[in-house]
Amino acid sequence: MQEKLNNIYKSASEDIEKAQSGADLDEIKLKYLSRKGELNSIKKGIKDLSVEEKKVVGSLANEISNKLENALSAKYKEFYQKELDAKLEKEKIDITLPGKYIPRGKEHPLTSTTEEIVKIFRTLGFSQIPTADAPEVETEYFNFDMLNVPKDHPARDVQDTFYTKIAPFTVLRSQTSNAQIRTMEKMKPPIRIIAPGRVYRNETLNARKNNFFHQIEGLYVDKGVTFGDLKGVLNEFIRSYFGAARPTRYRSSFFPFTEPSVEIDVQCIMCEGKGCRTCSGTGWLEVLGAGMVDVNVLKGVGIDPDVYTGFAFGVGVERLAMLKYAINDIRLFFNDDKRFLEQF
Ligand code: PHE
Protein backbone atom coordinates (compact mmCIF):
# COMPACT_ATOMS: atom_id res chain seq x y z
CA MET A 1 0.00 0.00 0.00
CA GLN A 2 2.79 2.34 0.88
CA GLU A 3 4.38 1.56 -2.41
CA LYS A 4 1.15 2.30 -4.24
CA LEU A 5 0.92 5.60 -2.45
CA ASN A 6 4.48 6.48 -3.33
CA ASN A 7 3.80 5.60 -6.96
CA ILE A 8 0.75 7.81 -7.04
CA TYR A 9 2.78 10.62 -5.55
CA LYS A 10 5.50 10.15 -8.09
CA SER A 11 3.26 10.10 -11.15
CA ALA A 12 1.06 12.96 -9.85
CA SER A 13 4.17 15.07 -9.20
CA GLU A 14 5.42 14.40 -12.70
CA ASP A 15 2.04 15.31 -14.18
CA ILE A 16 1.99 18.56 -12.23
CA GLU A 17 5.50 19.32 -13.41
CA LYS A 18 4.47 18.76 -17.03
CA ALA A 19 1.18 20.71 -16.82
CA GLN A 20 0.87 23.57 -19.34
CA SER A 21 -2.23 25.34 -18.14
CA GLY A 22 -4.83 25.70 -15.45
CA ALA A 23 -7.01 23.25 -17.36
CA ASP A 24 -4.27 20.58 -17.14
CA LEU A 25 -4.13 21.16 -13.41
CA ASP A 26 -7.90 20.74 -13.13
CA GLU A 27 -7.58 17.34 -14.77
CA ILE A 28 -4.75 16.26 -12.48
CA LYS A 29 -6.72 17.32 -9.46
CA LEU A 30 -9.66 15.26 -10.65
CA LYS A 31 -7.54 12.24 -11.40
CA TYR A 32 -5.64 12.06 -8.12
CA LEU A 33 -7.29 14.16 -5.45
CA SER A 34 -11.03 14.15 -6.03
CA ARG A 35 -13.48 12.00 -4.13
CA LYS A 36 -13.31 9.35 -6.82
CA GLY A 37 -9.60 9.96 -7.45
CA GLU A 38 -6.75 7.47 -7.06
CA LEU A 39 -5.64 8.66 -3.66
CA ASN A 40 -9.07 8.33 -2.19
CA SER A 41 -9.57 4.80 -3.46
CA ILE A 42 -6.43 3.80 -1.55
CA LYS A 43 -7.58 5.68 1.57
CA LYS A 44 -10.79 3.67 1.49
CA GLY A 45 -8.75 0.49 2.06
CA ILE A 46 -7.08 1.82 5.19
CA LYS A 47 -9.94 0.84 7.43
CA ASP A 48 -9.13 -2.86 6.82
CA LEU A 49 -5.56 -2.52 8.05
CA SER A 50 -4.15 -3.29 11.50
CA VAL A 51 -3.91 -0.46 14.01
CA GLU A 52 -0.16 -0.13 13.51
CA GLU A 53 -0.41 -0.07 9.73
CA LYS A 54 -3.36 2.35 9.87
CA LYS A 55 -1.15 4.89 11.62
CA VAL A 56 1.72 4.61 9.19
CA VAL A 57 -0.29 4.38 5.97
CA GLY A 58 -2.84 6.93 7.10
CA SER A 59 -0.23 9.55 7.85
CA LEU A 60 1.62 8.84 4.63
CA ALA A 61 -1.62 9.21 2.65
CA ASN A 62 -2.32 12.54 4.35
CA GLU A 63 1.19 13.75 3.82
CA ILE A 64 1.03 12.90 0.13
CA SER A 65 -2.34 14.51 -0.38
CA ASN A 66 -1.09 17.67 1.41
CA LYS A 67 2.06 17.80 -0.68
CA LEU A 68 0.09 17.38 -3.91
CA GLU A 69 -2.41 20.05 -2.89
CA ASN A 70 0.47 22.45 -2.21
CA ALA A 71 2.22 21.64 -5.46
CA LEU A 72 -1.02 22.17 -7.36
CA SER A 73 -1.80 25.53 -5.81
CA ALA A 74 1.77 26.72 -6.41
CA LYS A 75 1.34 25.81 -10.08
CA TYR A 76 -2.08 27.49 -10.26
CA LYS A 77 -0.48 30.65 -8.91
CA GLU A 78 2.31 30.45 -11.42
CA PHE A 79 -0.09 30.16 -14.35
CA TYR A 80 -2.24 32.99 -13.04
CA GLN A 81 0.80 35.24 -12.67
CA LYS A 82 1.96 34.41 -16.20
CA GLU A 83 -1.44 35.22 -17.66
CA LEU A 84 -1.57 38.47 -15.74
CA ASP A 85 1.91 39.48 -16.89
CA ALA A 86 1.00 38.78 -20.51
CA LYS A 87 -2.19 40.78 -20.17
CA LEU A 88 -0.43 43.71 -18.55
CA GLU A 89 2.21 43.66 -21.23
CA LYS A 90 -0.42 43.68 -23.95
CA GLU A 91 -2.51 46.44 -22.42
CA LYS A 92 0.35 48.62 -21.34
CA ILE A 93 -0.13 52.37 -21.78
CA ASP A 94 2.65 54.88 -21.78
CA ILE A 95 1.49 57.64 -19.50
CA THR A 96 4.44 59.80 -20.49
CA LEU A 97 3.11 60.19 -24.06
CA PRO A 98 1.70 63.68 -24.69
CA GLY A 99 -2.13 63.79 -24.94
CA LYS A 100 -4.01 64.18 -28.19
CA TYR A 101 -4.99 67.77 -29.02
CA ILE A 102 -8.75 68.02 -29.32
CA PRO A 103 -9.72 71.41 -30.74
CA ARG A 104 -12.69 72.96 -29.04
CA GLY A 105 -15.18 75.43 -30.42
CA LYS A 106 -15.64 78.75 -28.72
CA GLU A 107 -18.27 81.41 -28.73
CA HIS A 108 -17.83 83.81 -31.64
CA PRO A 109 -16.80 87.30 -30.45
CA LEU A 110 -19.92 88.76 -32.08
CA THR A 111 -22.12 86.43 -30.07
CA SER A 112 -20.49 87.39 -26.79
CA THR A 113 -20.50 91.09 -27.70
CA THR A 114 -24.20 90.91 -28.60
CA GLU A 115 -24.96 89.23 -25.31
CA GLU A 116 -22.98 91.81 -23.42
CA ILE A 117 -24.83 94.68 -25.09
CA VAL A 118 -28.21 93.03 -24.58
CA LYS A 119 -27.39 92.57 -20.91
CA ILE A 120 -26.59 96.25 -20.44
CA PHE A 121 -29.88 97.33 -22.04
CA ARG A 122 -31.72 94.77 -19.93
CA THR A 123 -30.42 96.40 -16.78
CA LEU A 124 -31.66 99.70 -18.23
CA GLY A 125 -35.18 98.24 -18.46
CA PHE A 126 -35.34 97.03 -22.07
CA SER A 127 -36.54 93.54 -22.95
CA GLN A 128 -35.48 91.56 -25.98
CA ILE A 129 -38.15 90.59 -28.51
CA PRO A 130 -38.03 87.11 -30.12
CA THR A 131 -35.74 87.09 -33.18
CA ALA A 132 -38.55 85.70 -35.33
CA ASP A 133 -40.66 88.80 -34.64
CA ALA A 134 -38.42 90.90 -36.93
CA PRO A 135 -37.25 88.80 -39.90
CA GLU A 136 -34.14 89.23 -42.03
CA VAL A 137 -36.09 88.66 -45.24
CA GLU A 138 -38.46 91.55 -45.07
CA THR A 139 -40.92 93.54 -47.15
CA GLU A 140 -40.20 97.10 -48.22
CA TYR A 141 -43.26 97.98 -46.15
CA PHE A 142 -41.48 97.24 -42.84
CA ASN A 143 -37.94 98.02 -43.95
CA PHE A 144 -38.76 101.38 -45.62
CA ASP A 145 -42.40 102.48 -46.12
CA MET A 146 -43.53 102.53 -42.51
CA LEU A 147 -40.22 104.03 -41.46
CA ASN A 148 -41.04 107.14 -43.46
CA VAL A 149 -38.38 106.44 -46.09
CA PRO A 150 -39.44 108.23 -49.29
CA LYS A 151 -39.98 106.14 -52.43
CA ASP A 152 -37.03 107.78 -54.14
CA HIS A 153 -34.65 107.62 -51.15
CA PRO A 154 -31.17 106.45 -52.25
CA ALA A 155 -31.15 103.72 -49.56
CA ARG A 156 -33.87 101.94 -51.54
CA ASP A 157 -31.67 101.77 -54.57
CA VAL A 158 -30.39 98.34 -55.60
CA GLN A 159 -26.95 99.87 -55.19
CA ASP A 160 -27.56 99.90 -51.43
CA THR A 161 -30.19 97.26 -50.76
CA PHE A 162 -30.41 93.61 -51.78
CA TYR A 163 -33.77 92.89 -53.39
CA THR A 164 -34.91 89.28 -53.49
CA LYS A 165 -36.94 87.38 -56.04
CA ILE A 166 -38.88 85.52 -53.34
CA ALA A 167 -41.82 87.88 -53.69
CA PRO A 168 -42.38 91.41 -55.02
CA PHE A 169 -41.09 94.21 -52.77
CA THR A 170 -39.02 91.79 -50.70
CA VAL A 171 -35.56 92.74 -49.46
CA LEU A 172 -32.84 91.48 -47.17
CA ARG A 173 -33.44 94.01 -44.43
CA SER A 174 -30.95 96.85 -44.52
CA GLN A 175 -31.50 97.73 -40.87
CA THR A 176 -33.02 96.25 -37.71
CA SER A 177 -35.41 99.21 -37.65
CA ASN A 178 -38.08 96.91 -39.11
CA ALA A 179 -38.33 95.73 -35.49
CA GLN A 180 -39.69 99.16 -34.53
CA ILE A 181 -42.68 98.88 -36.85
CA ARG A 182 -43.27 95.19 -36.16
CA THR A 183 -43.35 95.94 -32.43
CA MET A 184 -45.50 99.08 -32.55
CA GLU A 185 -48.07 97.41 -34.81
CA LYS A 186 -48.57 94.77 -32.11
CA MET A 187 -47.96 96.59 -28.83
CA LYS A 188 -49.33 99.68 -27.17
CA PRO A 189 -47.03 102.00 -25.17
CA PRO A 190 -45.23 101.82 -22.81
CA ILE A 191 -42.80 100.04 -25.12
CA ARG A 192 -39.19 99.42 -24.18
CA ILE A 193 -37.61 96.75 -26.38
CA ILE A 194 -34.36 95.72 -28.01
CA ALA A 195 -33.99 93.55 -31.13
CA PRO A 196 -30.60 92.14 -32.13
CA GLY A 197 -30.06 90.75 -35.62
CA ARG A 198 -28.28 90.65 -38.94
CA VAL A 199 -28.65 93.25 -41.66
CA TYR A 200 -27.50 93.39 -45.28
CA ARG A 201 -26.18 96.18 -47.47
CA ASN A 202 -24.87 96.14 -50.97
CA GLU A 203 -21.68 98.00 -50.13
CA THR A 204 -18.16 98.25 -51.35
CA LEU A 205 -16.14 96.30 -48.80
CA ASN A 206 -13.45 97.92 -46.71
CA ALA A 207 -11.98 97.72 -43.19
CA ARG A 208 -15.19 99.16 -41.68
CA LYS A 209 -17.83 97.82 -44.05
CA ASN A 210 -19.02 94.33 -44.83
CA ASN A 211 -22.10 93.49 -46.88
CA PHE A 212 -23.77 92.00 -43.87
CA PHE A 213 -23.30 92.97 -40.23
CA HIS A 214 -25.17 93.05 -36.96
CA GLN A 215 -27.23 95.67 -35.22
CA ILE A 216 -29.19 95.94 -32.03
CA GLU A 217 -32.29 98.03 -32.40
CA GLY A 218 -33.78 99.78 -29.40
CA LEU A 219 -37.14 101.48 -29.01
CA TYR A 220 -38.63 103.34 -26.08
CA VAL A 221 -42.12 104.87 -26.41
CA ASP A 222 -44.10 106.26 -23.52
CA LYS A 223 -45.66 109.45 -22.23
CA GLY A 224 -43.11 112.19 -21.75
CA VAL A 225 -39.99 110.55 -23.20
CA THR A 226 -37.46 113.26 -24.08
CA PHE A 227 -34.13 113.69 -25.86
CA GLY A 228 -32.62 113.91 -22.36
CA ASP A 229 -33.77 110.31 -21.77
CA LEU A 230 -32.13 109.28 -25.04
CA LYS A 231 -28.82 110.83 -23.96
CA GLY A 232 -29.08 109.38 -20.49
CA VAL A 233 -29.65 105.83 -21.74
CA LEU A 234 -27.03 105.93 -24.51
CA ASN A 235 -24.35 107.59 -22.37
CA GLU A 236 -24.92 105.01 -19.69
CA PHE A 237 -24.70 102.26 -22.30
CA ILE A 238 -21.38 103.52 -23.70
CA ARG A 239 -19.90 104.04 -20.23
CA SER A 240 -21.01 100.60 -19.13
CA TYR A 241 -19.88 98.81 -22.31
CA PHE A 242 -16.36 100.26 -22.36
CA GLY A 243 -15.99 100.33 -18.60
CA ALA A 244 -13.52 103.20 -18.66
CA ALA A 245 -14.24 106.57 -20.21
CA ARG A 246 -13.70 106.74 -23.97
CA PRO A 247 -13.68 109.91 -26.03
CA THR A 248 -17.16 110.02 -27.59
CA ARG A 249 -19.00 112.55 -29.70
CA TYR A 250 -22.58 113.19 -30.77
CA ARG A 251 -23.00 114.34 -34.35
CA SER A 252 -26.28 115.68 -35.55
CA SER A 253 -27.56 113.50 -38.37
CA PHE A 254 -30.58 112.56 -40.41
CA PHE A 255 -32.77 109.46 -40.54
CA PRO A 256 -36.23 109.56 -42.15
CA PHE A 257 -37.73 107.81 -39.09
CA THR A 258 -36.28 110.01 -36.34
CA GLU A 259 -36.33 113.76 -35.72
CA PRO A 260 -34.01 115.08 -34.43
CA SER A 261 -31.40 112.44 -35.25
CA VAL A 262 -27.87 111.86 -33.99
CA GLU A 263 -24.97 109.58 -34.59
CA ILE A 264 -22.50 108.64 -31.88
CA ASP A 265 -18.83 108.20 -32.70
CA VAL A 266 -16.22 106.65 -30.44
CA GLN A 267 -12.57 107.53 -30.84
CA CYS A 268 -10.70 104.98 -32.95
CA ILE A 269 -8.74 102.67 -30.65
CA MET A 270 -6.29 101.64 -33.36
CA CYS A 271 -4.79 105.12 -33.82
CA GLU A 272 -6.15 106.87 -30.71
CA GLY A 273 -7.75 109.51 -32.89
CA LYS A 274 -4.74 110.22 -35.08
CA GLY A 275 -6.34 108.67 -38.16
CA CYS A 276 -5.65 105.26 -39.73
CA ARG A 277 -6.91 102.80 -42.32
CA THR A 278 -9.62 101.42 -40.01
CA CYS A 279 -11.24 104.81 -39.35
CA SER A 280 -10.36 106.05 -42.83
CA GLY A 281 -8.19 108.79 -41.39
CA THR A 282 -10.97 110.44 -39.35
CA GLY A 283 -9.89 109.27 -35.89
CA TRP A 284 -13.51 108.21 -35.12
CA LEU A 285 -15.78 105.21 -35.68
CA GLU A 286 -19.53 105.57 -35.83
CA VAL A 287 -21.12 103.07 -33.46
CA LEU A 288 -24.79 103.96 -33.45
CA GLY A 289 -27.57 106.03 -34.95
CA ALA A 290 -30.44 107.32 -32.85
CA GLY A 291 -33.16 109.92 -32.55
CA MET A 292 -36.63 110.81 -31.39
CA VAL A 293 -39.24 108.67 -33.17
CA ASP A 294 -40.66 110.71 -36.05
CA VAL A 295 -44.24 111.90 -35.72
CA ASN A 296 -45.09 110.28 -39.07
CA VAL A 297 -43.87 106.89 -37.84
CA LEU A 298 -46.01 107.09 -34.69
CA LYS A 299 -49.06 108.15 -36.72
CA GLY A 300 -48.46 105.29 -39.17
CA VAL A 301 -48.75 102.66 -36.46
CA GLY A 302 -51.68 104.39 -34.76
CA ILE A 303 -49.89 105.84 -31.76
CA ASP A 304 -51.02 109.39 -30.93
CA PRO A 305 -47.94 111.67 -31.13
CA ASP A 306 -49.70 114.26 -28.98
CA VAL A 307 -49.80 111.77 -26.11
CA TYR A 308 -46.68 109.67 -26.67
CA THR A 309 -43.10 110.34 -27.61
CA GLY A 310 -40.16 108.01 -27.92
CA PHE A 311 -36.63 107.43 -29.00
CA ALA A 312 -35.01 104.72 -31.09
CA PHE A 313 -31.45 103.65 -31.70
CA GLY A 314 -29.51 101.17 -33.79
CA VAL A 315 -26.20 99.92 -32.41
CA GLY A 316 -23.47 98.48 -34.68
CA VAL A 317 -22.22 95.30 -33.01
CA GLU A 318 -19.06 94.80 -35.12
CA ARG A 319 -17.95 98.38 -34.62
CA LEU A 320 -18.36 98.11 -30.86
CA ALA A 321 -16.41 94.84 -30.75
CA MET A 322 -13.67 96.37 -32.93
CA LEU A 323 -13.35 99.30 -30.56
CA LYS A 324 -13.17 97.15 -27.47
CA TYR A 325 -10.74 94.51 -28.72
CA ALA A 326 -8.73 96.66 -31.15
CA ILE A 327 -9.79 94.66 -34.23
CA ASN A 328 -8.63 96.64 -37.23
CA ASP A 329 -10.77 95.05 -39.97
CA ILE A 330 -14.45 94.08 -39.89
CA ARG A 331 -13.84 91.23 -42.35
CA LEU A 332 -11.86 89.36 -39.67
CA PHE A 333 -15.16 88.45 -38.02
CA PHE A 334 -16.33 86.53 -41.05
CA ASN A 335 -13.46 84.69 -42.66
CA ASP A 336 -13.31 81.87 -40.09
CA ASP A 337 -9.61 82.23 -39.38
CA LYS A 338 -8.94 80.14 -36.30
CA ARG A 339 -5.94 82.26 -35.33
CA PHE A 340 -8.33 85.21 -35.00
CA LEU A 341 -11.18 83.33 -33.31
CA GLU A 342 -8.96 81.58 -30.77
CA GLN A 343 -8.00 84.89 -29.22
CA PHE A 344 -11.40 85.36 -27.63
N1 PHE B 1 -31.37 102.18 -38.76
C1 PHE B 1 -30.32 103.16 -38.68
C2 PHE B 1 -29.12 102.66 -39.48
O1 PHE B 1 -29.06 101.51 -39.76
C3 PHE B 1 -29.92 103.42 -37.26
C4 PHE B 1 -31.01 104.04 -36.45
C5 PHE B 1 -31.85 103.26 -35.71
C6 PHE B 1 -31.16 105.43 -36.42
C7 PHE B 1 -32.86 103.82 -34.95
C8 PHE B 1 -32.15 105.98 -35.66
C9 PHE B 1 -32.98 105.21 -34.93
O2 PHE B 1 -28.22 103.39 -39.79
Side-chain angles (χ1 to χ4, degrees):
M1 243 178 163
Q2 285 177 337
E3 202 186 318
K4 269 191 187 169
L5 283 172
N6 282 327
N7 284 341
I8 289 175
Y9 178 63
K10 211 174 143 225
S11 85
S13 299
E14 278 168 16
D15 286 355
I16 292 171
E17 203 49 52
K18 278 186 259 165
Q20 298 292 323
S21 66
D24 289 352
L25 296 178
D26 291 343
E27 254 174 49
I28 294 166
K29 197 170 176 174
L30 200 70
K31 185 174 170 203
Y32 296 103
L33 291 168
S34 66
R35 210 153 45 83
K36 288 182 177 165
E38 293 185 14
L39 209 54
N40 229 20
S41 57
I42 304 266
K43 279 184 185 168
K44 274 179 198 155
I46 291 178
K47 64 178 189 316
D48 302 325
L49 298 173
S50 70
V51 179
E52 277 307 302
E53 282 174 324
K54 264 187 193 164
K55 258 193 184 169
V56 179
V57 178
S59 82
L60 180 63
N62 281 338
E63 190 192 324
I64 286 173
S65 100
N66 283 342
K67 274 187 180 166
L68 290 179
E69 291 278 3
N70 288 343
L72 271 173
S73 72
K75 267 283 180 197
Y76 271 120
K77 258 192 202 153
E78 194 185 311
F79 287 139
Y80 172 75
Q81 190 59 45
K82 262 192 197 154
E83 238 175 75
L84 191 67
D85 287 349
K87 200 171 168 195
L88 286 176
E89 183 58 34
K90 212 171 76 195
E91 294 173 4
K92 188 159 94 178
I93 49 168
D94 181 354
I95 57 165
T96 65
L97 277 176
K100 271 193 196 137
Y101 171 64
I102 301 169
R104 288 210 187 193
K106 279 193 199 166
E107 202 166 59
H108 193 279
L110 288 180
T111 308
S112 44
T113 302
T114 302
E115 276 170 12
E116 209 184 328
I117 298 169
V118 165
K119 202 169 155 198
I120 296 171
F121 283 115
R122 277 234 190 88
T123 65
L124 291 170
F126 291 77
S127 30
Q128 184 180 342
I129 62 162
T131 335
D133 285 4
E136 285 177 30
V137 180
E138 186 57 292
T139 55
E140 278 192 282
Y141 174 87
F142 288 108
N143 193 74
F144 293 129
D145 299 347
M146 294 299 282
L147 286 161
N148 200 35
V149 181
K151 289 281 180 211
D152 58 355
H153 192 281
R156 294 200 186 219
D157 201 283
V158 289
Q159 308 268 299
D160 292 305
T161 299
F162 291 110
Y163 282 78
T164 84
K165 294 198 170 75
I166 296 171
F169 316 112
T170 313
V171 298
L172 298 185
R173 70 169 168 189
S174 61
Q175 48 188 353
T176 46
S177 300
N178 64 332
Q180 292 186 36
I181 306 304
R182 292 222 171 237
T183 303
M184 289 189 286
E185 282 199 347
K186 271 202 285 204
M187 248 173 133
K188 293 280 146 268
I191 294 169
R192 214 186 304 183
I193 58 99
I194 43 172
R198 185 174 284 191
V199 303
Y200 301 82
R201 286 184 200 174
N202 194 1
E203 293 198 281
T204 317
L205 309 187
N206 61 33
R208 282 156 294 131
K209 288 181 175 171
N210 192 47
N211 45 25
F212 65 86
F213 58 98
H214 298 79
Q215 290 186 324
I216 297 177
E217 193 79 7
L219 176 68
Y220 181 11
V221 182
D222 201 354
K223 286 176 184 158
V225 177
T226 67
F227 194 83
D229 296 320
L230 177 155
K231 277 192 87 172
V233 165
L234 295 181
N235 285 346
E236 176 56 23
F237 162 66
I238 300 263
R239 194 199 59 72
S240 175
Y241 175 75
F242 287 109
R246 275 286 178 92
T248 301
R249 69 180 187 191
Y250 279 70
R251 255 184 311 109
S252 106
S253 185
F254 175 81
F255 298 103
F257 37 92
T258 50
E259 181 62 33
S261 304
V262 289
E263 280 174 304
I264 299 183
D265 298 340
V266 174
Q267 191 181 71
C268 179
I269 189 180
M270 262 60 72
C271 60
E272 288 178 337
K274 289 190 223 22
C276 65
R277 186 182 68 102
T278 307
C279 60
S280 162
T282 63
W284 299 91
L285 275 180
E286 180 206 326
V287 297
L288 67 87
M292 301 304 290
V293 181
D294 197 282
V295 170
N296 285 338
V297 173
L298 291 174
K299 279 186 192 156
V301 293
I303 293 176
D304 186 348
D306 291 329
V307 181
Y308 295 103
T309 51
F311 67 81
F313 55 88
V315 173
V317 181
E318 282 80 357
R319 298 279 181 86
L320 282 168
M322 288 167 79
L323 284 163
K324 188 160 194 168
Y325 303 111
I327 297 162
N328 63 8
D329 198 308
I330 194 171
R331 290 165 289 195
L332 284 166
F333 289 114
F334 307 115
N335 54 19
D336 292 341
D337 187 334
K338 271 167 61 189
R339 291 166 304 175
F340 170 75
L341 295 171
E342 274 165 358
Q343 295 175 55
F344 297 92

